[in-house]
């Protein structure tokens, strides 16, 4: 139909340009390009400033938590002799590296701190026979447990949480920048529609 305004077509995505192209003056640069450049810089500065602080705070909190946990474990756990109640399997080749790594769960008898004999379950090397004793960690009531956390484990776990916190800040900054870019792109498309509505009639030739 003559005089009908064709629908606006969204502009093609920006072609690959040199680094920091949004900072360089050019006739096609839009205000939103400059705004996005400043927002990107702000997000980068914020991430670089906040990530170390958050990492230190989270790492310090995690270290305190695991130190308390290790202290509690040292107070409530102790090593004792455990006697196997049955033979452990002999599946790996005797003397092989696999035998050194493999452990099998078996029932053992332990004596609690109050002198009671109880049965618990722990993992032992292959080939041990009933009546053999192994040294294990148990809780106050005689339940087999892992050894208390060492200083190295406390430090490692605290550093792990600190690293995760720093990564979380970086990912949050990246997500904020991506969402802002999406909002600005939608604004650009709206402005493109308005501009096309004003320009298209001048390009329409009556028949």
């Amino acid at each position: 139909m003559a005089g009908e305004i064709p629908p606006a077509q969204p502009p093609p995505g920006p072609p690959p340009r040199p680094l920091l192209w949004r900072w360089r003056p050019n006739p096609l640069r839009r205000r939103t390009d400059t705004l996005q450049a400043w927002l990107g810089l702000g997000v980068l500065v914020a991430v670089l400033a906040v990530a170390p602080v958050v990492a230190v705070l989270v790492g310090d909190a995690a270290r305190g938590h695991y130190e308390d946990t290790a202290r509690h474990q040292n107070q409530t756990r102790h090593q004792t002799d455990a006697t196997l109640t049955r033979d452990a399997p002999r599946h790996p080749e005797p003397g092989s590296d696999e035998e050194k790594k493999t452990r099998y769960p078996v029932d053992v008898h332990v004596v609690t701190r109050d002198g009671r004999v109880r049965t618990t379950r722990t993992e032992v090397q292959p080939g041990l026979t009933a009546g053999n004793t192994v040294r294990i960690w148990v809780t106050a009531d005689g339940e087999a447990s892992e050894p208390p956390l060492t200083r190295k484990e406390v430090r490692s776990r605290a550093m792990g949480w600190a690293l995760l916190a720093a990564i979380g800040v970086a990912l949050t900054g990246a997500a904020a920048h991506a969402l802002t870019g999406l909002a600005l792109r939608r604004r650009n498309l709206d402005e493109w529609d308005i501009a096309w509505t004003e320009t298209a009639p001048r390009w329409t030739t009556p028949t």
Side-chain angles (χ1 to χ4, degrees):
M1 179 182 295
E4 182 179 358
I5 299 176
Q9 299 295 323
R17 302 184 183 183
L19 187 63
L20 302 179
W21 65 269
R22 287 189 174 91
W23 297 97
R24 299 179 179 179
N26 67 79
L28 298 180
R29 186 179 67 177
R30 298 159 296 191
R31 286 178 299 176
T32 52
D33 294 330
T34 304
L35 178 59
Q36 189 170 1
W38 280 108
L39 288 174
L41 179 61
V43 170
L44 177 62
V45 172
V47 168
L48 294 177
V50 173
V53 176
V54 172
V56 170
L57 293 176
V58 172
D60 187 63
R63 180 181 55 80
H65 168 72
Y66 287 117
E67 284 181 346
D68 290 342
T69 300
R71 189 177 303 111
H72 175 74
Q73 290 175 344
N74 275 297
Q75 293 173 349
T76 58
R77 299 179 184 181
H78 65 281
Q79 278 188 303
T80 187
D81 289 331
T83 305
L84 276 68
T85 61
R86 62 181 179 85
D87 297 345
R90 291 180 174 272
H91 180 264
E93 183 71 22
S96 65
D97 292 336
E98 190 68 22
E99 183 185 27
K100 298 177 181 177
K101 300 176 183 178
T102 303
R103 294 292 184 273
Y104 289 110
V106 296
D107 291 334
V108 295
H109 286 158
V110 296
V111 179
T112 63
R113 285 182 170 175
D114 57 6
R116 294 183 297 109
V117 177
R118 63 156 297 175
T119 301
T120 186
R121 197 170 183 82
T122 190
E123 294 185 344
V124 300
Q125 293 179 341
L128 293 181
T129 58
N132 283 149
T133 59
V134 292
R135 198 76 173 159
I136 66 170
W137 283 90
V138 295
T139 60
D141 60 356
E143 185 71 25
S145 66
E146 296 292 328
L149 293 174
T150 64
R151 290 184 179 180
K152 183 178 180 180
E153 289 173 331
V154 169
R155 183 169 58 253
S156 176
R157 295 188 182 190
M159 291 178 62
W161 278 107
L163 179 60
L164 288 176
I167 293 175
V169 172
L171 291 177
T172 301
H177 184 262
L179 291 175
T180 301
L182 180 61
L184 291 176
R185 176 168 176 78
R186 289 180 176 176
R187 178 179 174 182
N188 288 340
L189 292 176
D190 292 340
E191 292 180 352
W192 176 268
D193 286 336
I194 295 174
W196 179 251
T197 302
E198 297 174 352
T199 304
R202 285 179 267 168
W203 287 27
T204 303
T205 303
T207 57

